[in-house]
Amino acid sequence: MSLTSVTIISPEAANGRNVVALGVVNALASINTTAVFRPASCKHSAITDILLNAANAGQDNAHVRGTCMCHVREDKEAVRADIVAAYEDIVEEYSPESMVIVGTDRSAVYDPDLFAFNANVAADLRSPVFLAVCTINRTPEQVKATVKACRATVEDAGTAVLGVFITGCKEESQHAPLLEAFDGYDVPVWTIPFVDFDEDNAPELATRAFADHVPTEELMDALQAPFAAPTTPYAFQYSLLGKAKKNKRTIVLPEGEEDRILKAADYLLERDIVNLIIVGEKESILKRAEELELESLDKATFQAMDDESVLTPMVEKLCELRAKKGMTEEQARKQLADPSYFGTMLVVLGKADGLVSGSVNSTANTVRPALQVIKTKPDASLVSGSFIMCFKDHVAIFADCAINLNPNAEQLADIAIQSAATARSFGLTPKVGMLSYSTLGSGKGPDVDLVEEATNIVKSKAPDLDVVGSIQFDAAWSPTVAATKAPNNDVAGHVNVFIFPSLCAGNIGYKAVQRSSGALAVGPILQGLNRPVNDLSRGALVQDIINTVALTAIEAQSL
């Protein structure tokens, strides 16, 4: 079942917005099962109860809200992920056909960033917008200018306005000049009479005013307009958590002494997203958790490294796997004193489905044990590292940004094919760009030859994969640039899997984009291993760790 959603926001969030919200809920509820979501509002908000009475999905006041306004004022960025999670929980619980999302209410506390916050939340929820703009103390020209400014904010957030409601018309004579000012406008515009919601019969007056001025058929036509739903970083992060939770896997965390690891683990365990094995002494870890005020860490499994019931079979298995290297029991025990190696062997023994490390250890310390004992897939010639890059309204893959210094053509082709598979596992339809300083023969040289040879190998090995190369980044990224540099190429300008020709280029590229554009970089994802093992940056934030554990669990689901 597809869900029709719309977010109603206003720069004033005053009574006119409430008339629109109630009218839209009434109209949709007359046709299908309709729920209401308040991303951020007070639990005592009167309009919320009025909207719930009009909706018909069976919600109550305890199942309608994302967060409260005090949390929004404290940290707008932090609450966005919680709002997405609450929204998805409500959709899953009530299975509505329509969802009316109503932005923040009018507040005595002025917040200049609140309208942009509402627009960003609409984008996070992959929802288009109905604007409600009040005409009180505004001429028609001023209303139009206000709508223009609001639309710019909404579109900058990554979503779109499907219709405009001009509210607060106190005189019948106001309607015609307002509609005339918007004659020929590219989205529907409706005018709504003023209704004072402090009156006892305000809901009835609002319902009548909306129905008299907004035909339901026109409203539904507006909601059916083409809309390219964005994928914001917060939406993508939640999709990771949601996918991981639906088919739980067990992930081992070898760095149990690191506070960021413990905070991330607490978040994941509180929400029942994965099962976790934390390497270390249970008592000392739980004592530190208490100091950090973490309340869910006791749900983890703790694995001491001197537990002979685990260590003895681990030593035997490691000696077996490294027999050709002449590994002795003494050497194995010494090797297993390294938490990364110990954690990797928990995966080998089947006690965990995947591993995440690197907040303290180097990439080499995370990757080396995996290469030695987990090893590569039968069809993989190498291990490569990709990043999921979450931009404002879409997601892309960058590779190899972590492992291979100067891959040859065969290796570069395998990196491209592995990265395309990673894209598919996270719901993307891969369009691969083999990056160079040349676009389809515009430049010459051995580096270009390498990329073009790799492109031909990709086409041979994966003939159904959309790939273009060699191609410059701008022609891969921008349809406008591609129209000039690569005309008539269907992949150019639409690439979402970017393959860099060397580790130097890839590492610089992803970090430059991450820091200059504000994109969220998730990874690196180690591609090509028999079991998922993923590396963290030593500068990783708690949210980075949460994301990496979730994507590791998702990778494990496909094995």
Side-chain angles (χ1 to χ4, degrees), residues 47-75:
I47 186 61
T48 300
D49 290 330
I50 293 171
L51 296 175
L52 287 175
N53 287 335
N56 59 358
Q59 295 167 274
D60 57 36
N61 196 278
H63 298 88
V64 69
R65 190 174 296 100
T67 189
C68 66
M69 284 305 302
C70 60
H71 293 151
V72 173
R73 286 191 287 269
E74 288 169 2
D75 192 338

Side-chain angles (χ1 to χ4, degrees), residues 27-346:
L28 289 174
S30 70
I31 296 172
N32 53 37
T33 304
T34 300
V36 173
F37 181 63
R38 302 299 313 277
S41 70
C42 173
K43 64 181 178 180
H44 302 298
S45 169
I47 186 61
T48 300
D49 290 330
I50 293 171
L51 296 175
L52 287 175
N53 287 335
N56 59 358
Q59 295 167 274
D60 57 36
N61 196 278
H63 298 88
V64 69
R65 190 174 296 100
T67 189
C68 66
M69 284 305 302
C70 60
H71 293 151
V72 173
R73 286 191 287 269
E74 288 169 2
D75 192 338
K76 289 181 175 59
E77 293 301 307
V79 299
R80 287 169 63 180
D82 290 334
I83 288 171
V84 175
Y87 175 79
E88 295 292 345
D89 286 347
I90 289 172
V91 170
E92 183 176 353
E93 181 173 356
Y94 294 98
S95 300
E97 296 167 291
S98 297
M99 177 70 84
V100 180
I101 303 159
V102 183
T104 53
D105 296 324
R106 180 172 53 185
S107 172
V109 179
Y110 174 67
D111 187 338
D113 299 320
L114 204 52
F115 183 78
F117 169 78
N118 282 308
N120 286 331
V121 167
D124 291 337
L125 302 181
R126 300 171 63 82
S127 172
V129 167
F130 278 159
L131 270 180
V133 175
C134 188
T135 190
I136 296 175
N137 297 324
R138 290 191 178 115
T139 66
E141 292 73 22
Q142 290 169 336
V143 170
K144 192 170 184 180
T146 302
V147 170
K148 180 180 179 180
C150 290
R151 285 191 72 173
T153 299
V154 169
E155 290 163 7
D156 184 62
T159 184
V161 172
L162 297 188
V164 177
F165 295 88
I166 304 172
T167 65
C169 295
K170 291 189 174 182
E171 305 291 339
E172 189 63 32
S173 60
Q174 288 181 277
H175 294 270
L178 286 164
L179 292 174
E180 184 178 345
F182 284 88
D183 185 44
Y185 205 59
D186 63 334
V187 298
V189 178
W190 300 280
T191 53
I192 305 290
F194 173 79
V195 175
D196 185 353
F197 257 76
D198 289 331
E199 295 185 24
D200 291 339
N201 61 339
E204 292 80 6
L205 294 173
T207 297
R208 191 180 313 128
F210 188 92
D212 288 346
H213 289 80
V214 184
T216 298
E217 185 177 347
E218 287 185 14
L219 188 74
M220 296 307 296
D221 285 345
L223 288 173
Q224 298 306 314
F227 171 65
T231 301
T232 69
Y234 295 96
F236 182 75
Q237 287 176 60
Y238 181 79
S239 75
L240 287 180
L241 301 180
K243 289 176 184 175
K245 186 173 182 177
K246 284 183 178 178
N247 190 1
K248 286 173 63 178
R249 290 292 184 265
T250 300
I251 306 301
V252 59
L253 304 174
E255 299 166 324
E257 76 285 4
E258 167 57 47
D259 286 354
R260 289 168 295 160
I261 293 289
L262 299 184
K263 291 176 181 178
D266 185 75
Y267 180 97
L268 292 160
L269 291 166
E270 180 184 356
R271 291 157 178 80
D272 199 30
I273 292 166
V274 292
N275 299 317
L276 293 176
I277 299 174
I278 301 177
V279 175
E281 296 294 333
K282 179 177 181 178
E283 291 74 14
S284 63
I285 293 174
L286 290 181
K287 181 179 179 182
R288 181 56 182 158
E290 186 176 351
E291 294 170 352
L292 295 171
E293 298 182 348
L294 305 178
E295 299 180 352
S296 299
L297 216 59
D298 58 353
K299 296 178 183 179
T301 297
F302 298 91
Q303 182 57 64
M305 294 177 63
D306 59 358
D307 181 352
E308 282 297 330
S309 67
V310 172
L311 191 55
T312 298
M314 192 179 283
V315 168
E316 293 175 358
K317 186 65 175 179
L318 183 55
C319 289
E320 174 191 329
L321 293 171
R322 303 290 286 164
K324 291 183 179 179
K325 298 294 183 180
M327 179 164 282
T328 65
E329 180 179 332
E330 181 181 355
Q331 290 171 329
R333 285 184 173 273
K334 185 177 179 179
Q335 193 85 74
L336 291 168
D338 178 348
S340 292
Y341 226 113
F342 186 92
T344 303
M345 286 302 298
L346 289 174

Side-chain angles (χ1 to χ4, degrees), residues 373-443:
V373 296
I374 290 180
K375 302 183 179 180
T376 58
K377 295 176 180 177
D379 60 347
S381 65
L382 78 174
V383 172
S384 62
S386 68
F387 279 85
I388 301 174
M389 303 296 291
C390 302
F391 295 94
K392 198 164 197 175
D393 57 1
H394 72 284
V395 173
I397 305 291
F398 281 20
D400 180 352
C401 306
I403 304 294
N404 298 282
L405 288 173
N406 293 292
N408 60 34
E410 189 78 33
Q411 292 170 327
L412 198 58
D414 284 353
I415 291 168
I417 293 169
Q418 288 178 353
S419 301
T422 295
R424 288 191 195 95
S425 70
F426 292 103
L428 300 179
T429 300
K431 293 183 180 295
V432 179
M434 308 295 285
L435 299 178
S436 176
Y437 59 79
S438 168
T439 295
L440 301 178
S442 66

